[in-house]
Structures are given as structure tokens and as C-alpha cells.
Amino acid sequence: MAKGHRSQIKRERNAKKDTRPSATLSYARVSVQKACFVLDAIRGKDVKTALGIVMYNPRYASTLVEKLLKSAIANAENNNGMNVDNLYVEECYANQGPTMKRIRPRAQGRAYRIEKRMSHITVVLNER
């Protein structure tokens, strides 16, 4: 058990929080593997280049990442007061979410299992 007054404990915990602007999309209906193709392309790039890459990428995950990137940019601009021209994508990753299990009928009374995967996608920006 932590010692000290409750407000002091909260103050210490808030001091350790990450202040970088970020955006998270939970339960995205795209697998982690497919989302990572898009995320690998924008990692480390400045925001304008990353938006250009994502905008013209034909993959389905790129539309999700585009919305997420725009949300992170808006968070940086409005909440943290950062200049958009100096921002770059510091971190972006996809973690595995829950899997929906479905059954596909097959010949002779058999059934195949279909797994529809989900992911949690996070984009973290920083200022140069």
C-alpha cells in the first residue's frame, strides 16, 4: 500500500503520465498483420508525408489510420498547443483485440472455423 495522502499520490501519478499527443482506435475490424503494413510505412515520417502516404494507400486499414492520424494531429494542436509543421509520427502500433469466432458449413456435415480478428491501433506524435 502506498504511503501518503490520497491527493499526494494522485499528483505523483499524474506527473509520471505521458504528455505526448496520441490517438487510439479500439476494436478496429482489421487484423494486426494487415494494419501493420500501413503503420510501418508512416512510422518516423513527418505528419504531412504520413498523411500523403495513408491517403493514397489502397489498403482498408489506411482509411482507419488516416482518421486516427488526423485525430492525433488535432489533439496535438488543440490540447498541447503544438505547431503542426513540426510534428512527426514517433510511435504507431497495433495490438491484438478480441477475435469473433464464426462457423462455415462444409461438405458431409463438417464445419470450418472462421476467425474474424480485431485490433487496437495507437498513433503517438511528437515535436521535432
Side-chain angles (χ1 to χ4, degrees):
M1 193 83 182
K3 293 183 179 178
H5 197 265
R6 185 178 292 144
S7 61
Q8 180 184 2
I9 295 168
K10 283 185 177 181
R11 221 175 292 119
E12 289 173 5
R13 187 177 18 183
N14 288 338
K16 294 177 186 176
K17 277 191 178 176
D18 193 8
T19 58
R20 297 177 299 177
S22 64
T24 303
L25 172 63
S26 297
Y27 304 103
R29 271 291 289 121
V30 63
S31 70
V32 173
Q33 186 177 6
K34 292 176 182 177
C36 280
F37 281 120
V38 179
L39 295 174
D40 290 341
I42 66 167
R43 190 175 293 117
K45 304 272 194 313
D46 64 292
V47 167
K48 290 185 180 181
T49 307
L51 274 175
I53 290 170
V54 167
M55 207 173 290
Y56 294 106
N57 195 328
R59 293 181 178 272
Y60 169 71
S62 65
T63 58
L64 301 175
V65 173
E66 180 183 2
K67 288 181 184 180
L68 199 58
L69 193 56
K70 287 180 180 178
S71 175
I73 293 168
N75 289 341
E77 193 174 16
N78 297 324
N79 300 343
N80 297 23
M82 295 180 164
N83 187 5
V84 179
D85 297 330
N86 299 335
L87 292 176
Y88 74 100
V89 181
E90 185 174 39
E91 285 181 41
C92 54
Y93 52 87
N95 294 326
Q96 188 172 355
T99 303
M100 294 190 294
K101 282 107 179 165
R102 300 293 182 258
I103 292 179
R104 187 83 176 190
R106 286 295 173 212
Q108 298 180 0
R110 293 186 175 92
Y112 283 173
R113 191 176 198 182
I114 304 294
E115 294 184 345
K116 298 185 175 188
R117 300 185 183 274
M118 291 186 218
S119 59
H120 306 304
I121 305 170
T122 304
V123 173
V124 180
L125 304 179
N126 208 346
E127 207 167 25
R128 288 197 194 267

